[in-house]
Amino acid sequence: MDLSTRIKLEIDSRRDELVALTQDLIRIPTLNPPGRHYREICDYLAERLARQGFKVELIRAHNAPGDSDAYPRWNLLARREGAAPGDCVHFNSHHDVVEVGHGWTRDPFGGEVEGDRVYGRGACDMKGGLAASVIAAEAFIAACPDYRGAIEISATADEESGGYGGVAYLAAQGYFAPERVQHVIIPEPLHKDQICLGHRGVWWAEIETHGRIAHGSMPFLGDSAIRHMSAVLAEMEETLYPLLASKRTEMPVIPEGARQSTLNVNAIHGGAPEQAPDFTGLPAPCVADRCRIVIDRRFLIEEQIDEVKSEITAMMERIRASRPGFSYEIRDLFEVQPTMTDRDAPVVRSTAAAIEAVLGREAAYVVSPGTYDQKHIDRIGRLKNCIAYGPGLLELAHQPDEWVGITDMSDAAKVMALVLAELLAA
Ligand SMILES: [Zn+2]
């Protein structure tokens, strides 16, 4: 029997174990924020992987954003050396999940199974992917005990809040340095027949317009920052949105609507602060002396971040030139460069071949509209040979009644194990 048949049989025989592992992971409510039960999930995985011969390290991201003694940012890194020198293949999953939210008809932390689905917060994003990668590694080791190189599995904190207490921290410590790790797969829920090559870039900024406070009955004695901001919003409608819509990308971003530059105004606030909902008084009449918006600009691999920023500055300057009393400030909040792994990169080619072998169809190549931990592996770790590939439907992430398909997990585990065979089999 050839290796790939043995691997598939090993995974088929572990189907119940795959479900049980996914359920166990869902039942540890690793909510972020604030970052609960991180140590517990790392201990659980460490114990399991140590039994499989992995050397396990528990790493706390001391002093990372959010790290405290009440909510320590724990990460697990497990490495299993093969019988001979060779490349290292690393599976990186985040272990945190977002808040439950409303609208559930299932226990979000029950790990209920019905038909071909496991339900729960984090089922698809991304405990199902984490479980699939663990089963893939275990099945590969059983089928090919004398592999060369090394297999690594990490479960990391805080992806949902930027990854600074997780992958960014590990990358800064050198855990993703190219001499240590050569191939990275992030089992985010991009679906079992798609390879996610990267993501668009991000720039968040706060724009503030200035005014002068006065009595609301005599607005002509002041200068309204809200009216100035409305000029900004009008200019965005008039010139900026059409410009962004005209910038198309070669990146295969999904959904299709994100295959261009986009801008969202995430928040707007002007004038006196809003009162708490239980406040029963009336507001005081004042002309707004400040108005702020937070913009969320997503940009393309064809764009430079400096151009993205100067586009906004140029727009603000145009308004200033024509609008008396207009003054403003722009504050950078956050930025991430776009990234896209080459289709000829070894991990991409191996995964594409494995998808074809398991599913009998060609892999699709996609790019994520938003960012994920690949940004840190690329920028801090300097490792380009990285993709996201995992079971689950992205549309279900962060939703009520989130679920992951059992057959999808099993198929994705087969793909991951065949990638190991391709890259590490002796
Ligand atoms: Zn995720």
Side-chain angles (χ1 to χ4, degrees):
M1 205 189 295
D2 70 349
L3 179 59
S4 77
T5 310
R6 285 207 310 274
I7 284 173
K8 287 185 217 163
L9 289 174
E10 289 286 350
I11 288 172
D12 285 334
S13 73
R14 285 169 168 79
R15 195 177 172 98
D16 291 346
E17 218 188 309
L18 173 60
V19 173
L21 173 57
T22 308
Q23 291 178 301
D24 284 353
L25 294 171
I26 290 169
R27 287 171 185 154
I28 305 171
T30 45
L31 284 164
N32 178 28
R36 290 185 204 282
H37 303 290
Y38 284 2
R39 180 63 193 246
E40 205 178 322
I41 200 164
C42 290
D43 282 341
Y44 172 90
L45 288 162
E47 206 239 313
R48 179 182 183 114
L49 292 167
R51 266 188 280 129
Q52 296 286 331
F54 281 80
K55 186 175 139 296
V56 296
E57 279 181 85
L58 289 163
I59 303 151
R60 177 174 165 184
H62 282 283
N63 304 318
D67 179 69
S68 67
D69 287 339
Y71 299 110
R73 277 25 214 178
W74 283 105
N75 298 277
L76 166 79
L77 197 131
R79 181 178 174 106
R80 193 178 187 284
E81 298 292 344
D87 281 2
C88 170
V89 180
H90 182 117
F91 295 99
N92 165 251
S93 297
H94 64 84
H95 59 54
D96 59 321
V97 300
V98 295
E99 65 172 299
V100 171
H102 298 287
W104 285 76
T105 64
R106 317 258 170 181
D107 176 355
F109 300 111
E112 287 173 40
V113 173
E114 197 183 300
D116 192 44
R117 296 175 176 184
V118 187
Y119 286 89
R121 174 52 82 227
C124 101
D125 185 11
M126 60 179 287
K127 288 174 172 175
L130 171 55
S133 68
V134 169
I135 294 292
E138 292 175 356
F140 171 70
I141 292 163
C144 184
D146 295 327
Y147 67 91
R148 56 186 153 73
I151 303 169
E152 287 190 347
I153 294 179
S154 61
T156 52
D158 287 356
E159 190 277 340
E160 299 290 0
S161 52
Y164 295 97
V167 171
Y169 186 87
L170 296 190
Q173 306 282 312
Y175 284 97
F176 290 96
E179 57 275 16
R180 187 195 148 105
V181 178
Q182 286 75 40
H183 313 267
V184 178
I185 295 179
I186 302 176
E188 288 275 10
L190 274 306
H191 203 42
K192 62 184 175 185
D193 59 358
Q194 300 194 130
I195 296 172
C196 181
L197 301 170
H199 50 71
R200 297 190 299 172
V202 183
W203 178 47
W204 289 351
E206 186 178 72
I207 299 176
E208 179 173 321
T209 52
H210 304 140
R212 199 172 62 253
I213 194 164
H215 197 288
S217 66
M218 297 167 284
F220 47 85
L221 296 181
D223 187 14
S224 171
I226 294 175
R227 290 185 63 183
H228 288 310
M229 188 60 83
S230 76
V232 175
L233 298 176
E235 182 68 20
M236 279 183 179
E237 294 293 339
E238 188 96 0
T239 61
L240 187 64
Y241 287 119
L243 174 67
L244 300 185
S246 74
K247 297 190 190 196
R248 309 291 299 176
T249 180
E250 287 302 308
M251 301 174 104
V253 190
I254 49 157
E256 183 89 39
R259 217 163 276 188
Q260 60 164 67
S261 304
T262 58
L263 182 137
N264 184 54
V265 178
N266 285 352
I268 181 163
H269 185 79
E274 287 187 73
Q275 299 294 338
D278 57 352
F279 176 73
T280 56
L282 289 169
C286 291
V287 174
D289 59 357
R290 275 194 312 184
C291 187
R292 284 194 291 264
I293 59 174
V294 175
I295 58 167
D296 178 351
R297 172 76 160 85
R298 303 290 168 142
F299 63 100
L300 313 171
I301 205 137
E302 293 86 353
E303 295 180 289
Q304 299 298 320
I305 186 141
D306 298 346
E307 295 164 22
V308 165
K309 292 180 179 183
S310 57
E311 211 168 66
I312 296 291
T313 317
M315 178 187 77
M316 299 302 285
E317 286 301 314
R318 269 200 312 278
I319 302 168
R320 173 150 66 187
S322 66
R323 194 173 168 88
F326 185 82
S327 77
Y328 68 94
E329 270 168 71
I330 300 174
R331 274 183 293 278
D332 284 324
L333 297 177
F334 179 64
E335 63 186 67
V336 174
Q337 295 290 338
T339 180
M340 185 162 71
T341 302
D342 201 277
R343 285 180 202 213
D344 284 330
V347 75
V348 179
R349 287 166 56 165
S350 307
T351 307
I355 287 171
E356 218 169 314
V358 172
L359 301 172
R361 57 179 181 264
E362 267 184 46
Y365 298 93
V366 300
V367 160
S368 168
T371 71
Y372 53 94
D373 276 335
Q374 188 166 339
K375 58 181 175 268
H376 303 306
I377 292 168
D378 172 5
R379 300 281 293 171
I380 308 173
R382 294 175 289 116
L383 198 150
K384 305 286 178 202
N385 188 28
C386 174
I387 56 167
Y389 170 78
L393 304 171
L394 196 57
E395 306 87 89
L396 299 173
H398 302 196
Q399 298 264 358
D401 288 346
E402 180 182 344
W403 56 270
V404 64
I406 295 167
T407 304
D408 288 351
M409 281 195 291
S410 174
D411 285 346
K414 288 175 186 172
V415 170
M416 294 178 202
L418 290 187
V419 172
L420 290 173
E422 167 88 14
L423 296 170
L424 307 181

